[in-house]
């Protein structure tokens, strides 16, 4: 029991610290924008926010430490693909952060439902906070899925290719993913930058900076995914051709194992009775 | 630069090539989105100035998708299904169902189908369900000497119902992409889903009664209730359920009345089943059910009935929470999914011990629990005073943290949750990024005028209406054999639905006339039915691979697909009913 708790703290400790600091920055990033001279001198954010102080820099420092330590200590469990590419640890670390975000999302939703329907005190912030967090979850889940090689592909012909041709096909895929990434940044860079520096908010009572943060996150995460795709290409380059099944066989093996244990336990119970 | 006809042709060919070389579907679509804009606007306009230009459309579309509130229900439903599969609910449910039906010809096959329907009403995805049924029911059927094809077909065909019976993430996706009401889609798919399930059950009953050797009956157990007595016990069990539900609803109405939440206000829709006049209605139902239990059945029979049926209680509660929230108009789809996660989470923890043990534990730890409660309330009071967060808010917040912490410490709950989260993340990334890519492509293609061009070409060709629909069905079935449903709904639907909406509505189907406003809903349900076939159709029907991984080694993939044949026939029959009689979906709408 103690070991189990230790294992989970070890797995989630750094991500949780990172997420906490990130939560602070997601709300008070304008402090740093002003400190680094990114803000328009006549813009609204200069009125609404102060410049960064020692506390803000400390948050950034802790964030950096949590990121570095979290990435260095990231490990995978039996149900996941191993770490073998140069970027895998980063993606797995962000995978843990995203898993935490999903649990917080469920918690926020329950909180809102209980308050709204039992105490008749709906919050102003829960729905928009969910929406904001979900945007990050959707984006970062794709990074994790890329590291886990679980994006939907069609292997009908691919599995028939000889290995060199498969390598060529993979290279083409990665090049095209990069082409898309460049095109995305080409088209959206100015808008994302402007919204971030202006700290554009959602325009509601709670007023979360969803446009400011999410517009830039789209570009950042797509770039990370492209790097992960390159990392996968390099890591898989000299691997033997793999067999692909339309279903995730590891996952089913694990589920089967768990259920057999469960059913077995039930039978023991019956025997006792 | 190019005209839309050329663009469409290049797009189609390029998509086929990219998919053939195994490029991830989402990224292939996203790249082709860029390609379409390139062909439409040319390099100078597109890449003239860094940081802006028509390419911004892609990011606009993706941002719009990411901030869609309904989309949040997808990771939540996946999370819920992942918890559900490992919660032990399924095993208990199977035992309970089996007790009632074990003396019926083909009993286990029928139990399998019923169980699949109940699970389908809890979860919106497929996969885990086939694995669960394959592990629980297949060994039993093979041991009793059931016909192997019948056993396999029943498990996989029923196990695929997850996306046909609400909640269904296929329908959520369809609703998002086509901007159709998801609640209407859920309501509309209910009857077709149950129709398909009952076709399966009728088929099982007919086949096993024509040839009893296909489903031998198990040995009789000593002292087991039989025939009428069993029916009586089942009635008693139903009375327990009715008493439980009406009791809860009664308490709910009383709570609303006491707190004055349900005072009728002009122009505001009353809380469903919550206005004061329901006190009498639920009171009567509750009283009658209790009278049946105490006066007609008696204590002994009530206890026996409860013992035989208790495995069904957890699923009924989960269904009540999820579907009740949606249909009762209490919450939206997204909150319903969130509450489903919570319900399954707590039930999974509760299933770790038998119920009496929990009561004993609660008694034994009464004092510490009271202390914790007092500390929570005290802290909440302090938090409210210092931060002004509100007393109710603070105590709910702190109380939930304590409750979740305690629940995570039960047995293997923390591992269960962590593993489920990882799986959820994988599946979410998979589905959402195909959606992201397809959204980018659809945005670019719409700017280029694609959907209108195709709709006009097809409609202008003066083909018979049902002919066009039939061709679409063939395309769905063909694509479904090779491609995931999510790819089809995202890439093909934006092209097909505008065509369907332009077809003369009075020519759709042969019996009855569809309400013009329901055409999009009808097509969504039709699509869902097509995807039912795709889960079974060779060479890549995923259900076969799920079952193969848990079946005894002597059962080959060919055997499995052979077992599917009659069930694919049944699915096609249900699909034709839906095509001939489109109005079927309007019955509950």
């Amino acid at each position: 029991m103690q070991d189990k708790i230790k294992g989970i703290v070890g797995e989630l400790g750094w991500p949780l610290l990172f997420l906490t600091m990130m939560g602070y920055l997601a709300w008070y990033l304008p402090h740093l924008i002003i400190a680094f001279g990114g803000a328009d001198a006549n813009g609204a954010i200069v009125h609404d926010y102060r410049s960064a102080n020692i506390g803000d820099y400390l948050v950034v420092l802790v964030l950096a430490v949590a990121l570095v330590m979290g990435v260095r200590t990231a490990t995978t469990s039996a149900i996941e693909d191993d770490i073998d590419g140069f970027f895998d640890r980063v993606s797995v670390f962000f995978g843990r952060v995203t898993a935490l975000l999903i649990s917080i999302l469920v918690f926020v939703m329950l909180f809102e439902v209980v308050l709204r329907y039992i105490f008749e005190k709906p919050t102003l912030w829960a729905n928009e906070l969910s929406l904001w967090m979900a945007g990050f979850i959707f984006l970062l889940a794709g990074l994790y899925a890329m590291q886990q090689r679980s994006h939907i592909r069609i292997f009908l012909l691919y599995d028939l290719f000889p290995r060199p041709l498969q390598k060529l096909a993979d290279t083409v895929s990665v090049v095209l993913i990069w082409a898309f990434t460049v095109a995305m940044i080409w088209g959206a860079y100015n808008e994302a930058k402007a919204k971030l520096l202006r700290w554009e908010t959602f325009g509601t009572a709670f007023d979360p900076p969803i446009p400011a943060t999410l517009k830039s996150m789209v570009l950042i995460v797509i770039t990370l995914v492209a790097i992960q795709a390159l990392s996968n290409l390099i890591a898989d380059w000299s691997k033997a051709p793999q067999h692909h099944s339309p279903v995730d066989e590891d996952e089913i093996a694990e589920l089967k194992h768990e259920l057999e244990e469960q059913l077995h336990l039930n039978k023991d119970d019956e025997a006792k009775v | 630069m190019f005209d839309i006809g050329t663009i469409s042709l290049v797009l189609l060919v390029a998509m086929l090539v990219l998919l053939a070389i195994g490029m991830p579907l989402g990224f292939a679509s996203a790249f082709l989105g860029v390609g379409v804009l390139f062909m439409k606007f040319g390099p100078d306009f597109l890449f003239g100035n860094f940081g802006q230009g028509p390419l911004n459309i892609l990011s606009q579309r993706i941002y719009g998708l990411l901030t869609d509130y309904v989309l949040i229900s997808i990771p939540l439903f996946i999370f819920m299904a992942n918890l559900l599969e490992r919660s032990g609910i399924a095993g208990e449910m199977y035992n309970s169902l089996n007790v009632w039906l074990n003396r019926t010809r083909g009993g286990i096959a029928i139990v399998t189908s019923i169980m699949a329907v109940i699970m389908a009403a809890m979860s919106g995805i497929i996969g885990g369900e086939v694995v669960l049924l394959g592990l629980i029911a297949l060994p039993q059927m093979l041991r009793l000497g059931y016909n192997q094809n019948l056993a396999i077909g029943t498990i996989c065909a029923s196990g695929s119902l997850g996306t046909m019976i609400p909640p269904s993430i296929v329908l959520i996706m369809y609703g998002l992409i086509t901007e159709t009401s998801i609640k209407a889609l859920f309501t509309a798919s209910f009857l077709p889903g149950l129709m398909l399930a009952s076709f399966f059950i009728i088929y099982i009953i007919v086949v096993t009664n024509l040839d009893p050797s296909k489903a031998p009956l198990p040995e009789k157990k000593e002292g087991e209730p039989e025939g009428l007595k069993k029916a009586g016990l089942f009635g008693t069990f139903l009375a327990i359920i009715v008493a439980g539900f009406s009791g809860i609803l009664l308490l709910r109405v009383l709570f609303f009345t006491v707190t004055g939440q349900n005072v009728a206000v002009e122009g505001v829709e009353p809380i469903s089943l919550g206005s004061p006049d329901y006190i009498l209605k639920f009171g009567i139902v509750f009283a009658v059910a209790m009278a049946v239990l105490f006066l007609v059945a008696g204590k002994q029979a009530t206890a026996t009935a409860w013992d035989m049926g208790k495995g069904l209680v957890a699923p009924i509660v989960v269904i009540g929470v999820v579907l009740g929230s949606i249909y009762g108009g209490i919450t939206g789809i997204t909150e319903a999914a969130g509450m489903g996660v919570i319900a399954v989470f707590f039930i999974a923890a509760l299933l770790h011990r038998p119920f009496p043990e929990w009561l004993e534990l609660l008694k034994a730890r009464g004092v510490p629990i009271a202390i914790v409660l007092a500390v929570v309330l005290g802290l909440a009071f302090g938090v409210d005073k210092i931060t002004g967060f509100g007393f109710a808010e603070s105590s709910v917040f702190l109380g939930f943290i304590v409750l979740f912490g305690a629940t995570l410490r039960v047995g293997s709950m923390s591992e269960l949750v962590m593993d489920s989260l990882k799986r959820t993340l994988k599946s979410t990334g998979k589905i959402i990024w195909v959606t992201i890519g397809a959204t980018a492509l659809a945005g670019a293609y719409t700017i280029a005028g694609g959907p209108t061009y195709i709709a006009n070409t097809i409609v202008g060709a003066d083909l018979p209406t049902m002919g066009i629909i039939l061709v679409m069905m063939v395309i769905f079935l063909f694509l479904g054999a090779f491609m995931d449903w999510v790819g089809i709904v995202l890439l093909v639907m934006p092209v097909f639905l505008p065509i369907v909406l332009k077809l003369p509505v009075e020519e759709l189907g042969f019996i009855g006339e569809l309400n013009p406003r329901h055409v999009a809903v009808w097509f969504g349900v039709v699509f869902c039915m097509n995807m039912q076939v795709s889960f079974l159709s060779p060479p890549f029907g995923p259900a076969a691979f799920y079952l193969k991984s848990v079946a005894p080694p002597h059962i080959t993939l060919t055997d499995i697909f052979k077992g599917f044949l009659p069930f694919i026939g049944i699915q096609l029959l249900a699909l034709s009913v839906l095509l001939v009689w489109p109005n079927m979906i309007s019955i509950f709408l």
Side-chain angles (χ1 to χ4, degrees):
Chain A
M1 188 72 200
Q2 288 302 322
D3 290 350
K4 223 170 63 190
I5 291 174
K6 239 183 232 169
I8 287 178
V9 170
E11 207 174 359
L12 293 180
W14 291 117
L16 188 61
L17 186 64
F18 177 83
L19 193 61
T20 317
M21 298 301 124
M22 213 56 209
Y24 176 86
L25 282 185
W27 201 250
Y28 292 116
L29 194 67
H31 296 170
L32 291 165
I33 296 176
I34 295 171
F36 284 89
D40 181 3
N42 302 316
I45 76 164
V46 182
H47 285 282
D48 298 344
Y49 293 91
R50 59 174 170 76
S51 181
N53 59 18
I54 182 80
D56 294 301
Y57 292 119
L58 210 62
V59 167
V60 175
L61 185 72
V62 176
L63 180 84
V65 170
L67 176 63
V68 171
M69 289 306 295
V71 168
R72 283 186 54 170
T73 56
T75 48
T76 49
S77 56
I79 57 165
E80 295 170 292
D81 260 30
D82 295 334
I83 287 178
D84 50 11
F86 67 87
F87 204 65
D88 284 8
R89 279 183 200 284
V90 180
S91 301
V92 171
F93 172 74
F94 280 114
R96 298 293 178 269
V97 174
T98 320
L100 280 173
L101 270 177
I102 296 182
S103 357
I104 298 173
L105 178 77
V106 174
F107 188 89
V108 168
M109 224 163 238
L110 175 68
F111 185 75
E112 163 71 11
V113 168
V114 169
L115 276 181
R116 193 185 334 153
Y117 294 105
I118 298 182
F119 292 93
E120 267 199 293
K121 286 184 171 172
T123 62
L124 286 172
W125 49 269
N127 279 344
E128 285 162 29
L129 184 62
S130 308
L131 196 65
W132 193 14
M133 287 198 297
F136 285 77
I137 292 171
F138 294 147
L139 286 170
L140 289 169
L143 179 61
Y144 179 75
M146 183 54 103
Q147 191 273 327
Q148 295 287 314
R149 279 105 172 136
S150 55
H151 278 299
I152 296 173
R153 300 166 64 182
I154 293 173
F155 291 108
L156 180 60
L157 286 174
Y158 182 88
D159 274 353
L160 301 176
F161 290 170
R163 187 65 187 132
L165 195 57
Q166 286 187 348
K167 285 183 185 176
L168 179 69
D170 289 343
T171 314
V172 172
S173 293
V174 173
V175 169
L176 295 185
I177 290 176
W178 274 94
F180 165 68
T181 309
V182 169
M184 273 294 285
I185 295 176
W186 195 283
Y189 183 79
N190 284 1
E191 194 200 355
K193 188 179 165 195
K195 290 198 162 160
L196 181 69
L197 294 184
R198 225 187 309 135
W199 205 244
E200 189 173 313
T201 52
F202 213 48
T204 48
F206 170 50
D207 217 13
I210 296 181
T213 49
L214 207 55
K215 285 266 180 186
S216 340
M217 270 312 274
V218 171
L219 301 185
I220 293 170
V221 176
I222 283 177
T223 312
L224 292 179
V225 169
I227 297 173
Q228 182 62 53
L230 183 65
S231 167
N232 286 357
L233 180 68
I234 295 170
D236 295 346
W237 190 259
S238 43
K239 281 185 190 161
Q242 283 171 329
H243 161 75
H244 297 100
S245 156
V247 300
D248 189 341
E249 281 168 343
D250 293 343
E251 194 183 319
I252 294 172
E254 187 72 16
L255 180 63
K256 186 179 163 188
H257 174 73
E258 278 169 30
L259 287 173
E260 272 168 354
E261 244 171 33
Q262 235 174 50
L263 294 174
H264 199 65
L265 282 178
N266 284 348
K267 265 178 207 146
D268 287 352
D269 289 348
E270 274 165 33
K272 263 185 241 157
V273 172
Chain B
M1 208 162 72
F2 296 130
D3 74 317
I4 182 64
T6 323
I7 293 179
S8 304
L9 193 65
V10 174
L11 178 62
L12 184 66
V13 173
M15 182 58 98
L16 292 178
V17 171
L18 290 185
L19 290 184
I21 67 163
M23 183 163 179
L25 181 57
F27 296 95
S29 329
F31 170 75
L32 289 175
V34 177
V36 167
L37 289 179
F38 189 86
M39 288 188 279
K40 172 82 185 163
F41 294 110
D44 297 338
F45 189 43
L46 212 55
F47 291 102
N49 295 304
F50 174 75
Q52 56 199 31
L55 282 168
N56 197 12
I57 295 156
L58 304 178
S59 136
Q60 296 284 6
R61 292 283 299 218
I62 292 172
Y63 175 80
L65 177 80
L66 294 176
T67 49
D68 191 325
Y69 193 68
V70 177
L71 196 63
I72 308 176
S73 60
I74 289 193
L76 294 178
F77 274 125
I78 296 174
F79 188 22
M80 177 182 153
N82 273 318
L83 284 174
L84 194 67
E85 283 160 13
R86 292 161 184 82
S87 64
I89 291 179
E92 304 258 327
M93 182 163 62
Y94 176 79
N95 292 337
S96 272
L97 283 173
N98 204 22
V99 173
W100 302 113
L101 286 169
N102 59 359
R103 303 301 309 161
T104 311
R105 180 70 60 192
I108 301 185
I110 300 173
V111 164
T112 305
S113 291
I114 296 176
M115 182 164 153
V117 173
I118 299 176
M119 296 207 50
M122 291 194 276
S123 104
I125 62 176
I126 77 140
E129 225 172 290
V130 175
V131 175
L132 274 173
L133 295 172
L135 277 171
I136 297 170
L138 187 62
Q140 307 283 347
M141 288 200 255
L142 295 181
R143 193 172 49 83
L144 282 177
Y146 270 55
N147 177 284
Q148 186 179 300
N149 284 345
L150 179 71
I152 291 170
T154 306
I155 288 176
C156 290
S158 328
S160 303
L161 286 168
T163 57
M164 188 69 219
I165 291 172
S168 144
I169 67 171
V170 175
L171 288 175
I172 295 178
M173 250 358 206
Y174 176 87
L176 271 172
I177 293 304
T178 60
E179 289 171 2
T180 312
S181 153
I182 292 167
K183 197 176 156 189
L185 283 167
F186 280 7
T187 314
S189 69
F190 214 87
L191 198 60
L194 286 185
M195 175 182 78
L196 181 59
S198 51
F199 281 3
F200 290 153
I201 294 175
I202 292 170
Y203 171 77
I204 294 167
I205 294 176
V206 169
V207 164
T208 53
N209 277 301
L210 284 181
D211 180 2
S213 70
K214 280 189 169 172
L217 287 172
E219 297 280 314
K220 237 184 216 171
K221 268 193 220 155
E222 282 293 318
E224 202 184 10
E226 281 177 64
L228 270 180
K229 195 158 174 249
K230 204 183 240 182
L233 281 172
F234 188 69
T236 314
F237 177 69
L238 282 184
I240 298 178
I241 297 290
V242 170
F245 263 80
S246 56
I248 291 171
L249 288 170
L250 182 64
L251 285 177
R252 179 168 168 263
V253 182
L254 284 174
F255 175 80
F256 285 150
T257 312
V258 169
T259 55
Q261 287 188 34
N262 57 358
V263 178
V265 181
E266 192 101 6
V268 178
E269 207 164 300
I271 305 173
S272 64
L273 304 180
S275 50
D277 53 317
Y278 277 100
I279 295 181
L280 190 65
K281 292 181 194 164
F282 287 133
I284 292 173
V285 174
F286 182 69
V288 169
M290 289 307 271
V292 167
L293 289 182
F294 281 99
L295 303 177
V296 182
K299 208 172 173 198
Q300 182 73 38
T302 307
T304 318
W306 171 256
D307 224 39
M308 285 168 80
K310 63 178 188 235
L312 291 174
V313 175
I316 293 176
V317 170
V318 176
I319 294 174
V321 168
V322 178
L323 292 188
S325 305
I326 298 172
Y327 288 120
I330 301 171
T331 59
I333 309 274
T334 309
E335 283 95 351
M339 293 311 99
V341 172
I342 301 284
V344 175
F345 171 74
F346 284 121
I347 288 175
L350 280 176
L351 287 178
H352 274 77
R353 292 160 191 264
F355 196 59
E357 262 185 50
W358 281 114
L359 284 181
E360 269 169 43
L361 199 73
L362 216 59
K363 271 183 209 154
R365 302 249 176 104
V367 178
I369 291 174
I371 294 176
V372 170
L373 205 64
V375 170
V376 164
L377 290 178
L379 267 178
F381 186 72
V383 170
D384 177 33
K385 278 281 165 276
I386 297 167
T387 63
F389 188 47
F391 181 65
E393 282 87 347
S394 321
S395 34
V396 169
F397 188 81
L398 292 170
F400 277 146
I401 287 184
V402 171
L403 189 59
F404 279 96
T407 312
L408 280 175
R409 294 195 46 172
V410 175
S412 54
M413 280 305 285
S414 51
E415 283 158 16
L416 176 83
V417 171
M418 199 58 216
D419 283 357
S420 302
L421 277 173
K422 285 173 190 164
R423 295 198 170 92
T424 306
L425 209 53
K426 237 190 251 188
S427 316
T428 306
K430 213 175 183 173
I431 293 183
I432 300 289
W433 276 64
V434 175
T435 319
I436 289 180
T439 306
L441 175 57
Y445 193 55
T446 309
I447 292 278
T452 327
Y453 162 77
I454 292 189
N456 287 338
T457 315
I458 304 269
V459 177
D462 218 21
L463 298 164
T465 302
M466 285 316 276
I468 296 177
I469 297 280
L470 276 182
V471 171
M472 286 178 176
M473 294 304 109
V474 172
I475 293 177
F476 281 147
L477 294 176
F478 178 77
L479 285 175
F482 299 97
M483 205 161 146
D484 223 64
W485 63 266
V486 67
I488 306 177
V489 75
L490 290 164
L491 295 176
V492 181
M493 213 38 100
V495 178
F496 274 15
L497 188 65
I499 302 176
V500 175
L501 291 178
K502 277 196 180 181
L503 294 173
V505 69
E506 63 277 4
E507 285 176 29
L508 290 174
F510 299 104
I511 305 172
E513 195 163 306
L514 197 59
N515 183 333
R517 284 184 294 125
H518 293 165
V519 174
V521 175
W522 170 72
F523 201 62
V525 179
V526 167
F527 172 73
C528 229
M529 196 64 98
N530 274 296
M531 290 305 105
Q532 287 292 303
V533 184
S534 86
F535 294 134
L536 300 191
S537 57
F540 291 113
F545 291 85
Y546 280 113
L547 188 71
K548 173 83 184 88
S549 60
V550 294
H554 69 87
I555 299 182
T556 63
L557 265 181
T558 324
D559 291 338
I560 296 179
F561 280 122
K562 224 181 268 167
F564 285 177
L565 289 177
F567 288 89
I568 293 180
I570 297 173
Q571 289 172 331
L572 292 176
L573 176 69
L575 178 62
S576 359
V577 172
L578 202 53
L579 291 175
V580 170
W581 181 36
N583 224 0
M584 157 182 231
I585 62 123
S586 304
I587 290 176
F588 291 129
L589 273 178

